Amino acid sequence: MSNLIKPEGYKALLDMRETEQGIKQIKEFFQQNLSTELRLRRVTAPLFVLKGLGINDDLNGVERAVTFPIKDLGDAKAEVVHSLAKWKRLTLAEYEIEAGYGIYTDMNAIRADEEMDNLHSLYVDQWDWEAVITKEQRTIAYLEDVVRRIYAAILRTEFLTCERYPQIKPFLPQQIHFVHSQDLLDMYPDLSPKEREDAICKKYGAVFVEGIGGKLSNGEKHDGRAADYDDWSTIAENGKAGLNGDILIWYPVLERSFELSSMGIRVDKEALLRQLKCEHQEEREQLYFHRQLLEDKLPLSIGGGIGQSRLCMVMLHKAHIGEIQASIWPDDMRQECEELGMPLI
């Protein structure tokens, strides 16, 4: 398989029984730490939403959602969620959550257009979280503070895992480094965005890449972002656009950068209108979610998603996400993984 990374000499440190126990321990410990750090309460989330309301996450704006007709609703179409970026903000309003508090949930999605490899699966599971903020907190400084608190929970989870399984050794740095995507381009002008992430993560170990979604000085985006949830166009106090980003680490098992979380301060009315215009999507202003925001019925918020299987994969030093979760894989990939010592569930 051309997409498969084959780490030389890889040997799983835990058998399948220990792996399942480790997954349970990691998920329980991390979500408790996350909810404490960010003052989040758990809520129940949908697996699918009605099509045409603008509630589903559009990711990069090109991925197709899995859809199906609902018999009792006159064959109205439902979409399996890509993530819950916009649904969570509606829920903050419905539950009347106060500033400084928020919600988190277990998000399960199917992404049929995903290109399968060591990190990408058709099945996505993550902790989706969202918190209410004030207008004064819509700053890069506040965003970075939240990133540090999430990273602290990740570090505590690594410590717990290594205590439980002494054969697993810690590798994450104690501090996370912050860099804007434009600075990253200036540092590595001859590299692709993915190669730039590899270079900066190998240097620092853990990095938060800021300002993802808008065009950089070379006329290209570092990566795509939908126009209607993260605020990637506002000029922050550092003089660069973007109040969002990705938490990345250097993962020695695969010798590459590894994304654990995508997050950001969400659009306000002005940013929503500006970004929809930038992406030539002004027609979305009439959708349910967008009308709610434009009519001041939704709170200002910050939020993101943290991969559950990905976090477990890193904590347990696995080489393929299929060692953590049950999904569908090409037969030749499954066979090759078995031969390489990384059997897929």
Side-chain angles (χ1 to χ4, degrees):
M1 295 292 299
S2 59
N3 293 332
L4 186 65
I5 300 174
K6 308 169 187 177
E8 186 175 350
Y10 172 75
K11 179 176 174 56
L13 299 179
L14 304 180
D15 61 26
M16 295 188 76
R17 179 183 61 83
E18 292 172 319
T19 297
E20 293 288 4
Q21 293 173 341
I23 291 169
K24 180 176 183 293
Q25 183 180 42
I26 290 164
K27 287 187 176 183
E28 290 177 348
F29 182 82
F30 178 79
Q31 68 180 348
Q32 183 60 53
N33 272 260
L34 179 70
S35 64
T36 301
E37 279 285 356
L38 302 184
R39 296 194 288 189
L40 309 173
R41 69 177 71 165
R42 190 187 184 283
V43 298
T44 301
L47 176 60
F48 41 82
V49 294
L50 281 174
K51 184 177 182 179
L53 297 180
I55 297 175
N56 203 357
D57 180 357
D58 293 310
L59 300 178
N60 296 322
V62 297
E63 292 88 348
R64 299 172 300 165
V66 175
T67 63
F68 60 92
I70 305 172
K71 180 181 178 181
D72 275 2
L73 293 181
D75 280 345
K77 293 292 180 64
E79 293 180 339
V80 176
V81 297
H82 276 143
S83 85
L84 299 168
K86 297 197 282 292
W87 177 88
K88 291 176 298 182
R89 199 165 176 184
L90 292 165
T91 303
L92 290 177
E94 182 180 356
Y95 288 6
E96 299 180 343
I97 304 293
E98 298 178 2
Y101 295 87
I103 59 174
Y104 81 95
T105 190
D106 291 292
M107 192 285 298
N108 297 287
I110 301 170
R111 297 183 182 172
D113 287 341
E114 203 72 84
E115 295 183 8
M116 291 179 278
D117 56 25
N118 300 65
L119 305 185
H120 298 91
S121 169
L122 301 178
Y123 169 63
V124 178
D125 57 342
Q126 64 185 33
W127 292 285
D128 250 328
W129 65 273
E130 198 86 8
V132 178
I133 61 174
T134 65
K135 183 178 180 180
E136 292 71 29
Q137 288 173 322
R138 298 189 80 257
T139 67
I140 198 71
Y142 182 77
L143 173 65
E144 290 180 353
D145 178 64
V146 173
V147 170
R148 291 187 183 96
R149 284 149 61 188
I150 294 173
Y151 188 68
I154 293 173
L155 286 178
R156 286 195 292 273
T157 305
E158 182 186 48
F159 177 80
L160 174 83
T161 305
C162 294
E163 284 283 292
R164 177 68 177 81
Y165 303 103
Q167 63 269 46
I168 298 176
K169 305 301 180 185
F171 68 90
L172 293 174
Q174 291 303 299
Q175 304 294 329
I176 187 168
H177 178 78
F178 295 89
V179 63
H180 193 276
S181 55
Q182 179 61 55
D183 293 330
L184 202 53
L185 173 61
D186 295 340
M187 293 166 62
Y188 306 107
D190 298 326
L191 301 182
S192 69
K194 179 63 184 68
E195 291 169 338
R196 296 197 289 270
E197 291 179 352
D198 286 344
I200 198 72
C201 286
K202 189 171 185 178
K203 181 177 181 179
Y204 290 104
V207 180
F208 185 71
V209 178
E210 300 169 349
I212 297 177
K215 289 184 179 180
L216 305 177
S217 60
N218 62 355
E220 300 175 358
K221 299 178 180 182
H222 181 82
D223 199 0
R225 284 293 186 277
D228 47 16
Y229 58 102
D230 282 355
D231 185 343
W232 42 258
S233 60
T234 291
I235 303 298
E237 62 265 31
N238 61 9
K240 296 183 176 69
L243 293 173
N244 70 341
D246 290 343
I247 296 176
L248 307 169
I249 63 166
W250 178 254
Y251 191 41
V253 174
L254 298 179
E255 295 188 329
R256 55 158 289 169
S257 60
F258 191 113
E259 179 186 325
L260 287 176
S261 174
S262 176
M263 57 175 288
I265 291 172
R266 307 309 197 184
V267 290
D268 56 12
K269 288 195 298 184
E270 291 75 20
L272 175 64
L273 292 171
R274 182 171 57 248
Q275 292 178 184
L276 288 176
K277 183 176 181 180
C278 180
E279 298 297 302
H280 307 292
Q281 296 176 352
E282 291 94 334
E283 73 281 356
R284 296 184 67 82
E285 294 174 22
Q286 304 307 316
L287 297 175
Y288 174 74
F289 170 83
H290 304 71
R291 295 311 312 166
Q292 294 291 104
L293 178 55
L294 294 172
E295 293 170 8
D296 294 314
K297 295 180 180 179
L298 302 181
L300 298 174
S301 67
I302 182 174
I306 302 166
Q308 294 187 14
S309 290
R310 284 197 174 197
L311 183 67
C312 293
M313 181 179 169
V314 166
M315 294 295 120
L316 301 178
H317 294 202
K318 298 293 187 177
H320 197 290
I321 199 165
E323 296 179 85
I324 298 294
Q325 58 163 241
S327 185
I328 295 174
W329 306 98
D331 289 340
D332 50 356
M333 178 181 284
R334 186 176 288 277
Q335 179 179 345
E336 191 165 8
C337 285
E338 184 77 30
E339 294 170 354
L340 292 169
M342 41 187 185
L344 307 184
I345 295 174

